[in-house]
Amino acid sequence: MTLIGSEELEALVKLTGSLFEEARASADAKRWRGAIVLVGASIEAALLGTTVCFESGLRTQGAWPKEKRPPEDWGLATLLALAVRAGWLPPSDTSEGHVSDPAAVLAGDVGDALQFVQRLRNALAHPGRHIADLLWLDSADDELMSPTYELCERVAGEVFERLRAAMVGTARSPVTEKVGPT
């Protein structure tokens, strides 16, 4: 059982909104790397909050990961896989691992677009991922990054809406309306 209580959950909800607002401010300043990394972090925070709200039910239905670490130590990949198993998000049509054409993941549902956001966030935050996956990516190129950020922001909005829908009617209703930015 996780040690995240209502105080920590409320902090996660606030963090989700704060990260998203910081992403918008970074985008307004044309700081694309920071904007996209922060959008990814806001998605991660929203998924973590939803996960801990549903922990008991997820364990009962066998959807809880076999992770030895507590949920607050999980990464975005683990949280996304859990969200798919829980039915909060659709599965990706692309296979796990390396995708040769980043745009290919955008042809499907939000599950594919999330895989793109995750890959982009990782490439922008981790130098090793940048040179292995998206060496051509120039985060200072406004013409490339402005629409890329807008896409990431729309994907985050869709994730927040789906998580809100999953939260409706849960026992932890004080945060139900607060998942994601307003």
Side-chain angles (χ1 to χ4, degrees), residues 32 36 116 141-154:
W32 305 116
I36 291 170
F116 172 78
D141 180 346
D142 290 343
E143 194 172 315
L144 169 69
M145 297 307 289
S146 178
T148 302
Y149 168 76
E150 289 171 12
L151 170 70
C152 292
E153 186 179 85
R154 287 193 310 270

Side-chain angles (χ1 to χ4, degrees), residues 3-15 49 52 172:
L3 299 176
I4 292 179
S6 60
E7 185 176 336
E8 291 89 354
L9 181 60
E10 186 68 27
L12 269 174
V13 171
K14 287 179 182 175
L15 181 61
V52 298
R172 293 182 118 154

Side-chain angles (χ1 to χ4, degrees), residues 51-174:
T51 295
V52 298
C53 280
F54 285 100
E55 180 177 359
S56 178
L58 291 166
R59 286 183 184 277
T60 300
Q61 66 186 165
W64 194 258
K66 305 238 183 289
E67 285 275 344
K68 301 274 188 242
R69 301 171 300 152
E72 57 270 24
D73 290 341
W74 298 349
L76 183 55
T78 300
L79 291 165
L80 287 173
L82 174 64
V84 168
R85 281 193 308 276
W88 306 332
L89 298 172
S92 171
D93 288 336
T94 55
S95 62
E96 296 270 338
H98 187 75
V99 179
S100 58
D101 179 10
V105 298
L106 300 176
D109 201 339
V110 69
D112 298 309
L114 265 167
Q115 189 177 49
F116 172 78
V117 171
Q118 177 188 15
R119 186 162 177 241
L120 184 61
R121 181 200 74 158
N122 289 346
L124 290 170
H126 304 290
R129 291 289 29 104
H130 179 82
I131 62 169
D133 291 343
L134 298 173
L135 185 60
W136 54 267
L137 183 65
D138 178 4
S139 64
D141 180 346
D142 290 343
E143 194 172 315
L144 169 69
M145 297 307 289
S146 178
T148 302
Y149 168 76
E150 289 171 12
L151 170 70
C152 292
E153 186 179 85
R154 287 193 310 270
V155 170
E158 179 67 21
V159 170
F160 299 148
E161 285 304 313
R162 289 174 184 248
L163 294 178
R164 265 190 204 102
M167 298 282 291
V168 172
T170 65
R172 293 182 118 154
S173 59

